[in-house]
Amino acid sequence: MAAKYAVGIDLGTTNSVLAFAVIGEESPKVELLLIPQLVAPGIIEQRGVLPSFIYLGTDADTAAGSLDVPWKKKRDFGVGEMARLQAAQTPARTVAAAKSWLTHTRVDRHQPILPWGAPDDIAKVSPVEAATRYLAHLAAAWKQAFPKDPIAEQRLVLTLPASFDAAARDLTRQAAVAAGLGDDITLLEEPQAAVYAWLADRGSQWRRQLKLNDRLLVVDVGGGTTDFTLIDVAEENGELILRRAAVGNHTLVGGDNMDLALAHRAQQAFADKGVNIDAWQSVSLWHSCRAAKEALLAPEGPAKHPVAILGRGSKLVGGAVSVDLDRKEIADFLVDGFFPMCSAADHPARRAASGFREIGLPYEADTAITRHLAAFLASQGKESPRPTHVLFNGGVFKATRFQDRLLEILSGWQGEGTPARLEGLHDLDYAVARGAAYYAAAKSGQGVRIRGGTTRSYYVGIETSGPAIPGAPRPLRALCVVPLGMEEGTEADVPGGEIGLVVGEPAQFRFFSSAVRKADKPGDLIERWTEGDDLSETDSMQANLPAAKNSEDGWVPVTFQSRITELGVFELWCVSAAASERWKLEFSVREDADKSV
């Protein structure tokens, strides 16, 4: 059955959104799906966003039916607004920022580890399972709204950060399939989706605002992450086209950091009043500061906003205790803390490493988004064109002071040729989902598409031959198998000599990626590199490939063929040089215990 709808899903770190459009319309009208969800125990309401939080209920919650939803009774968890609110009261039972864990290579993302640090008597979920639950909730909401049009039969686009590597993309795809979204899922980078939302608003008029050789900088600062993307305006067959030029690294700085900074500031104000905040109240204060930030930074926000916490004990100690946050002081504090003035040559500060550190998400030591941006632009090289336009995305930029400061800094870096704020609709809460739905419709020829291909180049680790040395591993070389920008739906034979592939026994296959090595071509062999700067090791793979025919040595000579599927998934084929045999290495995550720290 042909798809009737183009569906876009923004699986956000803080909020998730679903948008859709009817396929075949000349000018697709993108709409939002209102999502039924628990807003309090036993109370269901429809909201435009689904907060990406899970509350892991108690036996009493399940028995009382307080976590029931229309499509599932006696459920033992809640997803959405109630779960977000519950985080203030029971943080040990609330899963948050699960999406960020999908990129954390030092843990096994299939193991139940969330909420991180929760007591052993609480049943936890894996990062993949958490993502699956968010997506399954959206799928159930769709089924309620469109019972005759299964979501798995629609043209579906799921967004993810531009900085996600092949393994994190595959984990996202696994979660989507497990949630019942079907196998035919296209993955789209969030900054590109924001541009598609802008294109949907501008229509054919976009070519009057962006000219040949213009460069668009997309700055996406959401609840948990920051993403940078550069998109160039080029020409093809006499027509202007958009081509993605570069993406930044996965940067764990966002609105959550701002809320935490405000909570720390408010905690000092409470201390000045002689009120000491315990760990339980600190989490509650964090969530209260999120609401205060949104109110104070709104265009018509109040001059002051109270932040209150409840007293502890069997009775309230004087009821709620509160302090007032000042609009101007808070705005100055957040602007200078997260968007400080800096030079184009600045780089993020790296805190000296302690001999011991708590295991958890690899949050950035430097919260200065402007310094991260300076490093990203510098990585493009001195001869790289500077941005001519800026598109802002993410809920943080609803406070226009952040936009103004960033434009001020870019102007100082560039002198002449100051970048302009891109004119048009900037739907900061829903742009990613709307843009994904527009892109899903565009795949049938109904709109403009951004070219770009893979956001990274990929490499396989090749162990060198030679005499063994006690206690020393053999040197490793990195063979480029996918160049940066390889288009979806294409494949490439990797030049070079034959490589020995271990078959018939367990073996580890190591993979690397780079967002900065733009000149590498398939077949290029890298002898030395700087870990984290030139190349970053992504998930290694444990596999026991079937033995080859007529081979008794435990290995077979092969050449490589790399392929990027239409869905954006990386496949590496090992082709036997001696027989008509092929082995496919599919990206998976490591599950060995020594990596699950």
Side-chain angles (χ1 to χ4, degrees):
M1 180 185 295
K4 180 179 178 180
Y5 294 99
V7 178
I9 294 179
D10 172 13
L11 177 62
T13 307
T14 305
N15 292 299
S16 297
V17 183
L18 189 152
F20 63 95
V22 176
I23 294 174
E25 293 182 345
E26 185 174 347
S27 299
K29 180 184 178 182
V30 178
E31 301 180 60
L32 293 176
L33 178 71
L34 293 178
I35 305 164
Q37 58 194 279
L38 286 164
V39 297
I43 300 176
I44 300 285
E45 291 184 6
Q46 292 187 330
R47 300 287 176 90
V49 302
L50 178 75
S52 301
F53 292 78
I54 299 173
Y55 167 65
L56 303 173
T58 64
D59 292 341
D61 292 322
T62 304
S66 58
L67 302 178
D68 289 358
V69 288
W71 52 86
K72 182 69 174 178
K73 303 301 181 183
K74 298 300 179 183
R75 199 165 70 162
D76 60 358
F77 67 92
V79 175
E81 178 63 16
M82 191 202 79
R84 184 184 71 83
L85 297 174
Q86 200 72 22
Q89 300 179 25
T90 54
R93 288 187 172 273
T94 306
V95 177
K99 177 178 165 184
S100 294
W101 285 91
L102 293 177
T103 67
H104 195 3
T105 60
R106 293 188 179 275
V107 299
D108 184 346
R109 287 148 288 177
H110 281 296
Q111 290 298 311
I113 58 175
L114 301 179
W116 186 260
D120 292 339
D121 61 345
I122 293 179
K124 303 178 182 65
V125 298
S126 71
V128 174
E129 174 61 22
T132 299
R133 291 186 181 185
Y134 303 142
L135 294 172
H137 191 105
L138 295 176
W142 175 272
K143 185 176 182 179
Q144 274 212 313
F146 301 96
K148 296 181 179 180
D149 300 292
I151 194 168
E153 297 178 6
Q154 310 312 310
R155 184 175 296 145
L156 198 149
V157 171
L158 178 61
T159 67
L160 37 67
S163 52
F164 264 26
D165 64 13
R169 289 168 182 259
D170 186 63
L171 288 168
T172 306
R173 182 193 61 80
Q174 289 178 32
V177 172
L181 300 184
D183 295 318
D184 192 17
I185 303 164
T186 299
L187 302 178
L188 177 68
E189 298 150 27
E190 291 161 5
Q192 282 198 51
V195 177
Y196 280 120
W198 178 79
L199 289 169
D201 173 63
R202 305 304 289 176
S204 60
Q205 301 298 311
W206 75 268
R207 291 180 175 87
R208 295 186 179 181
Q209 188 167 349
L210 293 176
K211 309 296 183 184
L212 181 64
N213 298 324
D214 278 351
R215 168 164 280 194
L216 172 63
L217 169 64
V218 184
V219 183
D220 185 350
V221 183
T225 59
T226 291
D227 257 331
F228 305 121
T229 295
L230 289 172
I231 295 176
D232 289 343
V233 183
E235 189 176 46
E236 188 174 276
N237 300 324
E239 289 284 331
L240 290 181
I241 64 168
L242 298 175
R243 187 180 303 279
R244 190 199 57 236
V247 299
N249 293 321
H250 195 64
T251 306
L252 286 179
V253 175
D256 290 346
N257 300 74
M258 296 183 177
D259 303 334
L260 194 59
L262 287 186
H264 180 73
R265 189 180 180 94
Q267 191 167 348
Q268 295 297 319
F270 278 113
D272 292 342
K273 285 189 170 186
V275 178
N276 294 318
I277 307 297
D278 63 21
W280 185 91
Q281 291 169 314
S282 294
V283 177
S284 177
L285 184 60
W286 181 20
H287 290 281
S288 298
C289 285
R290 178 186 295 116
K293 177 195 69 178
E294 293 171 355
L296 288 168
L297 298 183
E300 303 299 326
K304 293 184 180 295
H305 190 284
V307 172
I309 58 168
L310 295 177
R312 300 303 307 275
S314 58
K315 296 181 179 179
L316 293 183
V317 182
V321 185
S322 69
V323 296
D324 285 335
L325 299 181
D326 181 83
R327 173 186 173 91
K328 184 178 185 307
E329 289 181 3
I330 291 307
D332 291 343
F333 170 66
L334 293 177
V335 168
D336 291 337
F338 290 87
F339 295 88
M341 301 298 292
C342 66
S343 76
D346 282 349
H347 282 68
R350 294 192 176 185
R351 186 181 301 137
S354 170
F356 298 100
R357 62 175 296 179
E358 185 180 31
I359 298 298
L361 284 174
Y363 290 107
E364 297 295 333
D366 193 337
T367 60
I369 292 171
T370 45
R371 285 195 284 270
H372 288 284
L373 177 58
F376 167 65
L377 294 176
S379 71
Q380 307 309 307
K382 293 183 179 180
E383 303 303 320
S384 178
R386 309 305 282 176
T388 59
H389 297 78
V390 180
L391 174 65
F392 295 101
N393 190 57
V396 164
F397 285 118
K398 285 192 285 188
T400 57
R401 278 200 60 180
F402 297 140
Q403 296 188 30
D404 295 340
R405 169 58 69 86
L406 196 143
L407 285 173
E408 177 188 359
I409 290 173
L410 284 170
S411 299
W413 292 349
Q414 297 185 200
E416 295 183 4
T418 297
R421 184 187 281 109
L422 203 60
E423 297 177 1
L425 178 66
H426 295 258
D427 185 3
L428 297 170
D429 284 325
Y430 307 113
V432 169
R434 289 182 181 276
Y438 174 85
Y439 175 77
K443 286 177 68 68
S444 63
Q446 292 175 251
V448 181
R449 293 186 64 181
I450 301 171
R451 316 289 176 83
T454 59
T455 60
R456 293 171 171 265
S457 47
Y458 287 94
Y459 309 77
V460 294
I462 308 295
E463 185 180 281
T464 60
S465 61
I469 301 174
R474 294 185 188 274
L476 199 70
R477 296 172 181 168
L479 176 69
C480 180
V481 292
V482 172
L484 192 149
M486 185 171 173
E487 295 282 355
E488 290 86 354
T490 64
E491 56 185 39
D493 292 320
V494 179
E498 297 174 353
I499 301 295
L501 174 70
V502 176
V503 295
E505 62 182 83
Q508 182 185 47
F509 300 91
R510 296 177 66 182
F511 287 84
F512 302 83
S513 70
S514 175
V516 298
R517 296 185 66 98
K518 300 180 180 181
D520 289 347
K521 305 181 297 298
D524 287 352
L525 198 60
I526 302 171
E527 301 281 350
R528 296 180 180 84
W529 63 87
T530 303
E531 175 68 26
D533 292 332
D534 290 340
L535 299 183
S536 296
E537 185 164 6
T538 185
D539 295 299
S540 63
M541 183 184 306
Q542 297 286 346
N544 189 341
L545 300 179
K549 298 175 183 177
N550 304 320
S551 175
E552 299 179 358
D553 297 326
W555 62 274
V556 61
V558 298
T559 57
F560 293 123
Q561 184 182 76
S562 53
R563 180 169 179 260
I564 305 297
T565 71
E566 290 287 354
L567 304 181
V569 176
F570 166 37
E571 297 176 351
L572 183 67
W573 289 87
C574 306
V575 183
S576 171
S580 56
E581 293 180 271
R582 292 157 57 90
W583 294 263
K584 182 171 71 170
L585 293 178
E586 297 179 287
F587 249 96
S588 182
V589 295
R590 52 175 163 242
E591 299 179 15
D592 46 316
D594 62 320
K595 294 298 184 181
S596 302
V597 292

